[in-house]
Structures are given as structure tokens and as C-alpha cells.
Amino acid sequence: MKLSALHQSYLNRRRSPLDSSVDASSKSFLAVFWLVLHCLCCLISLLLGFRFSRLVFFFLVSTPSSSNLYSPPFRPDLPPPRIDLTPSNATTAEAKTSSSRVVVGRHGILIRPWPHPDPVEVMKAHRIIERVQREQKAVFGAGAKGSRTVIAVTPTYVRTFQALHLNGVMHSLMLVPYDVVWIVVEAGGVSNETASIVGKSGVRVIHVGFDQRMPNTWEDRGKVEVLMRLRALRVVKEEKLDGVVMFADDSNMHSMEFFDEIQNVKWFGAVSVGILAHSGNAEEMVMSMDKRREMEEEESSSLSSLPVQGPACNATDKLIGWHVFNTLPYAGKSAVYIDDVAAVLPQKLEWCGFVLNSRILWDEAESKPEWVKEFGLLNENEGVESPLSLLNDPSMVEPLGSCGRQVLLWWLRVEARADSKFPPGWVIDPPLEITVAAKRTPWPDVPPEPPTKKKDQMSLSQGNNNVVVIPKHQQQQQQRSSKVRKPKRRSKRNKHEAKPTDTATQVSSSTKHHQERN
Amino acid sequence: MTNRLSLSAILLFLFFSASSAQHNVRTERISGSAGDVLEDNPVGKLKVYVYELPSKYNKKLLQKDPRCLTHMFAAEIFMHRFLLSSPVRTLNPDEADWFCSPIYPTCDLTPTGLPLPFKSPRMMRSAIQLISSNWPYWNKTEGADHFFVVPHDFGACFHYQEEKAIERGILPLLKRATLVQTFGQRNHVCLDQGSITIPPFAPPQKMHAHLIPPDVPRSIFVYFRGLFYDVNNDPEGGYYARGARAAVWENFKNNPLFDISTDHPTTYYEDMQRSIFCLCPLGWAPWSPRLVEAVVFGCIPVIIADDIVLPFADAIPWEEIGVFVAEKDVPELDTILTSIPTEVILRKQRLLANPSMKQAMLFPQPAQPGDAFHQILNGLARKLPHDGSVYLKAGEKVLNWTAGPVGDLKPW
């Protein structure tokens, strides 16, 4: 409209051509200017929306206190809002009673100048979260139902596989969500070896020494272990430890549900234990399995063919007897010495399947049931075989794990050969010899040696009495190589080559060392 | 009466504090008379008579659109059903203290499920005309001993837009009746002094189906799912939620402690149970079902709505349970929340864990003791006995039957 009017006026002026040529040019310039301005305004309106004029008005009129006000991007494709109000004073509809502070209408969107998280506040929030989670754990988690301390009794002694076994038990105990007291009884006295492993656990450890060396046969070892466990129970009695006593033999594996289940024991409980009578000799196992199947076909076996030891219940979940591991298939073929390659069989009733309330062991008979023997008067020399000897009436044992239907832990005995060697504390000191000489590159130019070489290295732990770390021919090779290389010597090589000759002497010293270790 | 009430409250308190001491879950009782009111039993304290209105006011509407049973305004339907089988119901209107009129004005839904309030005033009017002509009880008090459940956005103002609602005001015919509504804002036209504020309807079975074990650690600090800008109705922003929701988004979208977005995740209920604070900002109206969900899931509600009146405010001490943030303080929300002392937060969580609190927010079917139905009856019981002045002399008229916009006067 404006444009056409301008156009018309311009054209009108054009009709008087001669006298106003200069005027005409300036007016044409003005017209063009208006045209350009008009187009510009149209374009801006198109981009910012129909309320462009209102925006200008707003910026001109509003007070500077709106410095932290933000006008969100306009969207011209959407229909204009139903209510149009000027932003800062929206009073078209106020509550009738004058005391209301809240008004309807458009408010500014308040944004602070730096809308990013403050690190101090983030830390505070994380501390709040951590405190809330701790409270949740205390109220709903493990601490909720009145959790009892777990007292774990572990007989152990220093040998090659001790680190393997003790680390396993330690990790299980560290994961237990309840308080744990770990009584470690060590045959042969307290040693640094065991103490260093056990000290890393973070649970409370009572490390007791037992003055007897662990014998070499499984049968005798079982007897000594029983004495060690009784020693630990005496510690419980003396220290008046309160909680649930379980027997964590160091080569066993416990499930986490086991620890949850034993919380329910009242006085004396029994759980089902999976018996893994393994020898490491596959043929033996196959033979024994076949023999077992034969036996099953012969008789309607009342002997359980499952490798489980635990309580047996009748239909009403009452204890009626015990499932015991069937040792007949292994008759005559079981391991006698600790390092025999044959199936290791469990005792009649393994201690690990039983748990007891520590109050049974205490002196004063405060609410101790009468079917429990007085622990202090127990005579160890009478031959305590299983924990049932602690009771007068074995039928009062509580079957746990839905009456023995759940197998909650596994019994396993795996040991290295009696004469096997291992570095003390599993720290390699002095350093082992270099078996492959590197020249300039960290990896050898010579392709990797055939497997025979590696076997010789492993013989370090399983070994014969003659420990040979570097086979003779290689030693000679290295000596030869050093001889060859001597004339063309660079300073670096010198250092490298010096070593093989040194390690030749080191080999002998280390073998001496290891022999002492055993 | 109040002495007896306080005595019984003290006895109840002692009894319940003794019993809760044996509770393994550490929930805290709201001490004092306010908290015990939640466990009051309204049976025997009042009698309610339910009018038999023609089904065009209730059942036919429900048949036409059964979605009315699941949206957040379903309280009116369930209250009616509850009263039909409740022991407080009496079939003798002469001995009734309160009169219930089962009308479902919010059951007129659009195809997308939102209620249209345009015909509601006419429906109400026609129903009241029916009541006043067929029964003498309306004219005795001009509705002062009648109550109506109006769970719509702005209660009995019957409009979803706040300006229009304020213009209309409360329907003139309902001026003397007690209104049971979800909307509550102080000094607002649509909140009458004697109204009872109730929580919006949230489906209890659905919520209970999504419960997770309470020992799952709460790892989200602040949680919110919903719109920040209502692009369809308010494209510029600043009008929807009075700019508060947009301010939350603009200030905290980069903050890792704030898990806020416009998603509709399927794990919404589970996520609320993993959060410490749940934002409950206003939308077009100040109330929202988020408050109910936060209370049921144990998440501390952060209420951002100036002058809001929360459900059962006389029975539930909301100040002790939730955190109130003024709309102008929204940019400092993170500072406010992190500066709350940890003991206060733990105490709020303990109060929220109280099962009677959760029960009071729900409308379970069938009704259970202590639920929202009973709290409504408790509220009505607390208003008894009726003041003598509500009873009008014969022939006296107070209400203006022709007041209000002309469109309302059309018959329905």
C-alpha cells in the first residue's frame, strides 16, 4: 500500500518532467530507499514472526531489570497465541480478591546468567545421594532383618595351592553383606605367607597358629583339620563371639545365597554340600562313573548317586537322615597321599555342611538347649569326627536351604604335589633369567621357540628334584653367541650380552634357593 | 467435641506409636493431631444420602465413553460408586447429614480424550433443577448440605483456560454447596473457602504393578518427565506454567543431576522410585497427578506452584513432606535442593514411607481403610454439624437462578 502510494506520487511527479529532474532523481532514490526498507521489514517479520512490531515495542518500553529475561525463538509457522498481552505487565485477569500475588498471563522465563552446574553443589548432591543410599541399605538391605555376624573357620597351611584357595575364600567373605569374623587356623604355626594373604581381606581376622605340621595323607590331614577347627571353636568360646559359625575350608566354594540362608539358623543347621571328588585324571573319572552306573543297575541303589552331602527330609520337611556321598565306586582307587593322582574323597560327614549358633559354644547355659553338649567339656582325644559329636541329640539339627534341596556350597580338594615349589609370597625375587635374548627390538628376531622350552619352565613348580631352567644346549648357544658377538661390540650390546653369562650363575643360585624353599 | 477428638487423637497416637515401634521398616509417624486424622474412621460420624438421578447424568455418559474411568478426573465416578456400597450411605434422606448428587460433568471427552467443559455448567444446572424440584432437601438449605465432586482443571469454574475460568467464577448455583475438587490455589476465585481439596485420580493397580524392591539404591537426584513448552497453545513460552517449566528446562538442561526431559519412557514409575526428588511444577493448572505418584513411590515432591493448596491440607502436613520452591526461585533450584540438610531429607523420606500417607492419596477399587475416599468423608465429617444458619426459612431464596452467562441458561 505504501509502495503503491509512493509509486503513484512518483509517477505523478514524473508527469512534470522538465523542471524537476533533480528532484525526481532524489525522490526516486527516496522511493527506492523506502522500497528497500519495506522489503527488509517484511523479511524480518517473516523470520521472527508477526509480532515483530511488538518485539520492538517490548525492547523499547521494558525496564532494564529484565536483563535476565530471555525471549525464546519465535515460530512463524504456528498460529499466533490466543491471548496477546504485553510481557511485563500482565494484568488483564487478576484475582478478584486483591491479596493474590499470582497473576495469570505471560511471565518472563527466568534464566540465570550461567545456567551450568556448580561443581561444589554437584559434590554436595553426590554426598546426599550416597547418604540416602546408605540409609536405604541400612533399612531395607542386609542390615534390615537383624543380621548376625558370620564367623568363618578356616584351617590352612602353607603350600603351593594355598594362595589359590585362600584368595577364593577371602573374596567370598569380602562379598558377604554381613559382618564377618574370619578365624584362620594355620598348621605349623603362624607364618608371614598366610598373614600376607589374609591381611588383604579387610574383614576382621583372627590368625591362630596350630603346633603341628600338616601330614601327607588325606586321612591324617582330615584328623588334624578337625583338631584345628576345634581350636578355632575354642577361640569363639573364649572371645565370646556372637554370630553364626560356618566352616569355610580353604578349597571350598561358597555361594552368596549360602550366607543369606545361614542367617536363619536357630541353634544348629545343616546344608547340602556338592561333593566334587575330582582327581584331575579324566580316565579315572570315566571309570568311576561307569562303575557307578553299573552299581546302580545292579541294585536299586539306596545309595545316592548324586555327589551331594546333606540333610534328608521327609514329606513334611522334617529331618530324617543324611545324604552321604557314595564312595563305593572309588573303592581302592582313591587318593591316599595328598599329591596322588586319584579321586580325593570326603569324610563321612564333612564339617563344611554344618553351621552353628556361636552361643552353643559359650560357657554359661543361657537358654542353650539341653540337646547340646557342653563344649568346654568335650574331649578331643575321643575322636570328634563330625560336628554332630557336639550334640547329644543329632535329630534336632535344622535342615536349611529348603530342607536340603538347595546346594549352597561345593566341596573340593585339589593340591599340588607335596614337593612342588613356588616363590615365597608369590613374589619373583631374584628376577628370573632371561630366556630369550632381545637384540634391539623388544621381541625376538628368532621365531618363538617350540613348546618343549615352555614345559621346562613350568617344571619349576611341578618339578623334579633337578630343576633345570635353561636347557643345556641353549646355555651353550648363548655362550657361543656371546663369544661370537664379542669382537663387534657396541656399548648397548655389551650390557645385553653381559647378562646371559651372569644368569648362568644366577640359575644355579636360584635353584639352590628354591631347593631351600621346599 | 474437640476435646474428645483430641483425647481420642492422643490415645490413637499412643497406640500407633507403640505398634509402629515394632515395625521393622523405619517409617516415621507424623506426630500430633494432624497425622492421626489420616487414620480416622468416618463410619458412624456422618450419613450420606445419594440421589437417584436419571442415567443421562451418569451411566449413559460412561457408556458413551469408558475412557472416563481411567483419566485423571475419574474421582467423581469412583466416589459415586464407593458411596453406593459404603456403610455411611443411608437410604433415609431425612437423617442424612450430606447429600451426594452423582453427576459426571467431566465425562464429555474429545476424540483425544480431553474433557470439554462447555456443556458442564448446563448439565449441572439441569441436574440441580431436577433435584430441587423432586426432593425438598435442596430448598431447605439451598444446597448448603450438598456436596459435589468437581475434579476438573479449575473446579466448579468449568473451564480449562484460567482467564475464562476466573471470568465465569464458581457456578452460582453451587455457591453454597461444598465442593470436592482437585484444584486449589489460595485467594483464587475458583477455590471456595469450605472446599475440600483432593488428589487427582491416578490408577492404583497400575502404580502397584510397577513397584521395585525398596533396597534398589536411589541414584537419580532430580527427576521430571513432561512438557516444558506447550508448543500448540503457547508457542512463545512464558504463558504455560507461568514460565516456570521453561525456566527449569533452560537452567538445568545441562545439569547432570537433573534427569529432565519430555520423553515418555515405559520405566517412568520405576525411575521415580530410583529418584530422590521429583519435580511437581504447575502446568496450565497448579495441580497434577505427579504429586500422587511421587508420594506413592517415595520420591520427595518438589512443588513449584505459588499459593497452591495441596490435597487434604488440613490432614497432611505437606511442608514436612515436600519441598516448596517459589516460581521466582526456580533458577536457584539446584542450590536450594543441595542445601537441604541430609537429616531433613531422610526425615522426609521416612514420612513418605508411611503407608497411611500413600493410602490417603489413592482411590483403590474396592475401597480400603484410610484411602482418599475415607479422607473425603473425614473432611465432610469435620464440617459437621451444620451451622444453624444454613437452614433457610420457608420461602427464603438466596441463590440467583439466572446469574451467569446466557449460554448456561440453556437447558441440557
Side-chain angles (χ1 to χ4, degrees):
Chain A
M1 236 120 349
K2 225 193 302 182
L3 183 60
S4 53
L6 283 170
H7 239 315
Q8 270 179 4
S9 61
Y10 171 61
L11 284 170
N12 286 338
R13 287 192 197 113
R14 280 286 287 180
R15 284 199 197 116
S16 54
L18 294 167
D19 46 323
S20 53
S21 57
V22 177
D23 279 343
S25 61
S26 66
K27 276 169 189 154
S28 74
F29 173 71
L30 213 66
V32 168
F33 172 69
W34 275 116
L35 181 64
V36 166
L37 191 65
H38 192 80
C39 282
L40 204 66
C41 285
C42 281
L43 272 171
I44 295 175
S45 305
L46 202 69
L47 285 170
L48 295 178
F50 299 108
R51 296 171 61 88
F52 173 49
S53 55
R54 245 171 238 290
L55 183 66
V56 172
F57 174 71
F58 166 57
F59 276 127
L60 290 175
V61 164
S62 70
T63 57
S65 67
S66 58
S67 58
N68 56 353
L69 282 181
Y70 164 76
S71 46
F74 292 128
R75 296 177 212 227
D77 48 312
L78 294 165
R82 297 173 294 175
I83 312 291
D84 35 18
L85 300 160
T86 55
S88 41
N89 41 355
T91 50
T92 50
E94 218 177 84
K96 291 217 176 105
T97 57
S98 54
S99 51
S100 167
R101 301 173 296 137
V102 184
V103 295
V104 186
R106 190 167 303 282
H107 292 60
I109 301 172
L110 302 171
I111 302 178
R112 63 189 195 202
W114 179 246
H116 292 284
D118 176 35
V120 173
E121 278 166 14
V122 172
M123 277 318 297
K124 270 200 244 176
H126 280 290
R127 257 177 247 127
I128 292 175
I129 294 175
E130 194 255 337
R131 178 69 188 87
V132 165
Q133 288 182 358
R134 228 180 328 137
E135 184 73 18
Q136 272 185 282
K137 213 168 161 195
V139 175
F140 301 109
K145 294 160 288 182
S147 58
R148 295 145 83 180
T149 314
V150 169
I151 303 170
V153 170
T154 304
T156 184
Y157 68 105
V158 177
R159 75 267 194 208
T160 308
F161 276 32
Q162 183 199 31
L164 174 83
H165 296 319
L166 262 194
N167 270 302
V169 174
M170 182 171 82
H171 293 157
S172 299
L173 291 178
M174 282 162 78
L175 280 178
V176 172
Y178 313 103
D179 293 326
V180 171
V181 175
W182 194 13
I183 305 181
V184 179
V185 186
E186 189 174 351
V190 172
S191 73
N192 284 339
E193 194 76 31
T194 316
S196 64
I197 301 175
V198 163
K200 289 182 234 156
S201 64
V203 301
R204 180 178 161 203
V205 176
I206 303 178
H207 191 176
V208 178
F210 190 73
D211 303 323
Q212 209 182 321
R213 292 204 56 168
M214 195 60 94
N216 219 9
T217 60
W218 284 110
E219 203 186 316
D220 293 334
R221 177 175 153 163
K223 294 201 180 104
V224 172
E225 278 184 357
V226 167
L227 294 174
M228 289 160 76
R229 291 191 190 105
L230 290 174
R231 174 81 183 81
L233 293 181
R234 217 173 310 127
V235 170
V236 171
K237 176 172 109 103
E238 278 154 23
E239 308 252 338
K240 278 218 163 31
L241 297 176
D242 191 17
V244 179
V245 179
M246 44 83 66
F247 299 99
D249 298 342
D250 60 1
S251 50
N252 288 355
M253 176 55 65
H254 311 84
S255 69
M256 284 297 115
E257 291 80 17
F258 171 66
F259 296 103
D260 292 329
E261 186 65 26
I262 63 175
Q263 295 281 320
N264 301 329
V265 77
K266 271 205 287 293
W267 289 110
F268 202 100
V271 296
S272 287
V273 183
I275 302 290
L276 306 170
H278 190 73
S279 65
N281 185 345
E283 280 182 24
E284 284 272 350
M285 292 308 294
V286 166
M287 287 201 306
S288 67
M289 282 310 294
D290 288 339
K291 187 108 190 264
R292 211 200 289 260
R293 236 173 272 131
E294 272 174 33
M295 293 183 54
E296 266 180 72
E297 284 157 25
E298 278 173 15
E299 15 160 321
S300 59
S301 57
S302 51
L303 299 162
S304 154
S305 57
L306 294 173
V308 169
Q309 170 205 304
C313 296
N314 64 4
T316 58
D317 285 346
K318 275 206 132 61
L319 181 74
I320 50 170
W322 302 96
H323 287 306
V324 170
F325 184 68
N326 182 10
T327 58
L328 287 183
Y330 300 93
K333 275 190 280 211
S334 69
V336 172
Y337 289 95
I338 287 189
D339 45 6
D340 278 349
V341 181
V344 180
L345 297 180
Q347 310 287 324
K348 205 72 191 306
L349 277 179
E350 281 290 335
W351 281 67
C352 53
F354 295 94
V355 289
L356 40 131
N357 186 344
S358 64
R359 286 175 194 247
I360 284 182
L361 309 163
W362 290 8
D363 265 334
E364 309 96 46
E366 22 163 285
S367 73
K368 210 161 41 168
E370 327 73 47
W371 42 267
V372 170
K373 278 192 199 154
E374 187 63 46
F375 179 67
L377 307 172
L378 194 69
N379 188 351
E380 290 166 19
N381 299 326
E382 276 174 1
V384 177
E385 264 195 18
S386 78
L388 293 179
S389 323
L390 295 172
L391 305 178
N392 282 326
D393 183 6
S395 67
M396 299 299 290
V397 175
E398 304 149 39
L400 298 174
S402 55
C403 215
R405 282 189 275 273
Q406 291 172 335
V407 173
L408 297 171
L409 70 155
W410 295 269
W411 178 96
L412 173 68
R413 290 284 182 265
V414 178
E415 295 295 346
R417 286 176 55 119
D419 54 354
S420 63
K421 300 171 202 28
F422 64 99
W426 288 96
V427 173
I428 303 173
D429 184 30
L432 289 175
E433 63 302 324
I434 301 174
T435 53
V436 177
K439 282 183 276 195
R440 262 172 289 168
T441 48
W443 51 86
D445 278 353
V446 184
E449 304 288 347
T452 50
K453 186 167 171 298
K454 291 214 177 93
K455 257 207 187 145
D456 286 333
Q457 276 186 355
M458 282 203 308
S459 66
L460 186 70
S461 54
Q462 272 179 15
N464 318 307
N465 280 324
N466 321 318
V467 177
V468 175
V469 184
I470 291 187
K472 272 261 154 87
H473 68 274
Q474 214 194 350
Q475 265 188 355
Q476 284 173 357
Q477 241 181 29
Q478 285 184 342
Q479 284 172 353
R480 241 184 288 124
S481 61
S482 60
K483 276 190 203 151
V484 165
R485 283 182 198 129
K486 258 183 193 161
K488 311 178 195 168
R489 191 165 289 204
R490 290 190 218 156
S491 52
K492 261 195 204 172
R493 290 260 186 94
N494 200 356
K495 288 179 195 158
H496 278 307
E497 297 311 318
K499 277 202 185 153
T501 45
D502 285 343
T503 50
T505 49
Q506 272 187 358
V507 166
S508 48
S509 67
S510 56
T511 37
K512 263 193 233 150
H513 205 81
H514 288 144
Q515 279 173 341
E516 282 169 16
R517 179 71 205 88
N518 196 30
Chain B
M1 174 64 189
T2 47
N3 280 339
R4 243 182 292 148
L5 188 67
S6 56
L7 189 64
S8 61
I10 292 171
L11 284 172
L12 266 171
F13 171 57
L14 286 170
F15 173 62
F16 279 110
S17 61
S19 62
S20 69
Q22 300 149 16
H23 251 306
N24 280 333
V25 177
R26 265 193 262 150
T27 65
E28 198 162 308
R29 285 207 41 85
I30 309 158
S31 51
S33 60
D36 303 298
V37 167
L38 282 180
E39 274 140 28
D40 275 355
N41 192 356
V43 175
K45 292 205 187 125
L46 77 165
K47 294 227 178 297
V48 178
Y49 177 74
V50 184
Y51 285 123
E52 291 281 331
L53 290 181
S55 60
K56 72 170 181 173
Y57 293 105
N58 33 54
K59 292 207 188 72
K60 285 233 181 87
L61 294 169
L62 200 52
Q63 269 167 11
K64 211 172 68 165
D65 197 342
R67 285 180 299 181
C68 293
L69 280 173
T70 47
H71 66 179
M72 55 179 137
F73 309 106
E76 56 191 5
I77 304 172
F78 290 118
M79 190 67 194
H80 175 214
R81 289 190 181 176
F82 161 69
L83 283 172
L84 285 177
S85 52
S86 159
V88 305
R89 182 191 184 190
T90 167
L91 297 167
N92 179 7
D94 288 310
E95 62 169 15
D97 301 307
W98 287 102
F99 293 85
C100 171
S101 332
I103 316 167
Y104 304 161
T106 20
C107 204
D108 185 9
L109 303 183
T110 65
T112 53
L114 296 171
L116 287 175
F118 303 121
K119 295 199 199 134
S120 313
R122 290 162 52 196
M123 194 202 303
M124 271 297 190
R125 200 188 156 76
S126 116
I128 295 175
Q129 271 170 342
L130 195 74
I131 290 172
S132 61
S133 50
N134 287 2
W135 288 276
Y137 308 101
W138 177 272
N139 293 327
K140 264 201 216 159
T141 59
E142 291 266 274
D145 52 358
H146 290 59
F147 72 90
F148 295 86
V149 182
V150 280
H152 191 58
D153 286 354
F154 288 99
C157 293
F158 292 121
H159 209 279
Y160 53 83
Q161 247 192 55
E162 197 166 351
E163 280 98 3
K164 293 254 165 66
I166 293 175
E167 264 176 53
R168 298 177 57 93
I170 296 182
L171 198 68
L173 291 177
L174 297 175
K175 278 266 156 58
R176 288 170 62 91
T178 296
L179 296 170
V180 180
Q181 58 188 54
T182 49
F183 170 75
Q185 189 172 308
R186 280 191 279 276
N187 300 317
H188 197 279
V189 181
C190 298
L191 179 67
D192 200 16
Q193 275 303 92
S195 300
I196 299 176
T197 346
I198 61 171
F201 177 75
Q205 313 92 309
K206 195 168 161 210
M207 287 200 281
H208 285 132
H210 287 272
L211 285 176
I212 60 178
D215 60 344
V216 171
R218 286 186 188 265
S219 46
I220 302 175
F221 193 60
V222 178
Y223 187 78
F224 177 77
R225 288 287 181 273
L227 290 177
F228 300 100
Y229 294 96
D230 188 351
V231 182
N232 298 320
N233 299 320
D234 175 36
E236 286 175 29
Y239 195 89
Y240 175 58
R242 293 196 277 269
R245 287 199 185 193
V248 168
W249 174 250
E250 298 299 338
N251 280 300
F252 300 112
K253 60 187 177 192
N254 296 319
N255 196 323
L257 297 171
F258 283 67
D259 186 355
I260 57 179
S261 87
T262 50
D263 274 351
H264 279 96
T266 44
T267 53
Y268 176 59
Y269 288 147
E270 287 86 350
D271 290 340
M272 274 191 133
Q273 293 170 77
R274 289 197 304 116
S275 321
I276 300 182
F277 291 104
C278 289
L279 295 184
C280 305
L282 71 161
W284 287 112
W287 57 269
S288 91
R290 278 186 191 85
L291 184 68
V292 177
E293 289 159 359
V295 171
V296 169
F297 294 130
C299 180
I300 301 176
V302 179
I303 296 149
I304 308 172
D306 287 344
D307 278 350
I308 188 176
V309 175
L310 288 173
F312 305 129
D314 50 346
I316 300 179
W318 287 106
E319 287 282 327
E320 294 183 36
I321 295 165
V323 178
F324 287 83
V325 177
E327 288 165 32
K328 63 173 174 44
D329 291 332
V330 164
E332 274 92 50
L333 189 61
D334 55 350
T335 318
I336 295 171
L337 291 179
T338 51
S339 58
I340 302 177
T342 337
E343 306 81 44
V344 173
I345 293 179
L346 292 176
R347 176 158 191 268
K348 286 187 205 277
Q349 289 192 320
R350 279 198 293 273
L351 286 170
L352 279 170
N354 196 348
S356 60
M357 178 81 59
K358 298 186 210 274
Q359 193 74 318
M361 289 280 113
L362 294 173
F363 293 92
Q365 274 84 47
Q368 287 159 18
D371 63 7
F373 300 117
H374 290 89
Q375 304 304 332
I376 297 173
L377 292 178
N378 281 334
L380 289 171
R382 280 195 286 275
K383 294 183 86 177
L384 290 173
H386 292 296
D387 192 28
S389 63
V390 305
Y391 293 101
L392 304 171
K393 295 185 270 288
E396 188 182 340
K397 288 263 178 263
V398 177
L399 288 182
N400 183 355
W401 285 77
T402 53
V406 180
D408 284 358
L409 301 174
K410 282 195 229 148
W412 184 73

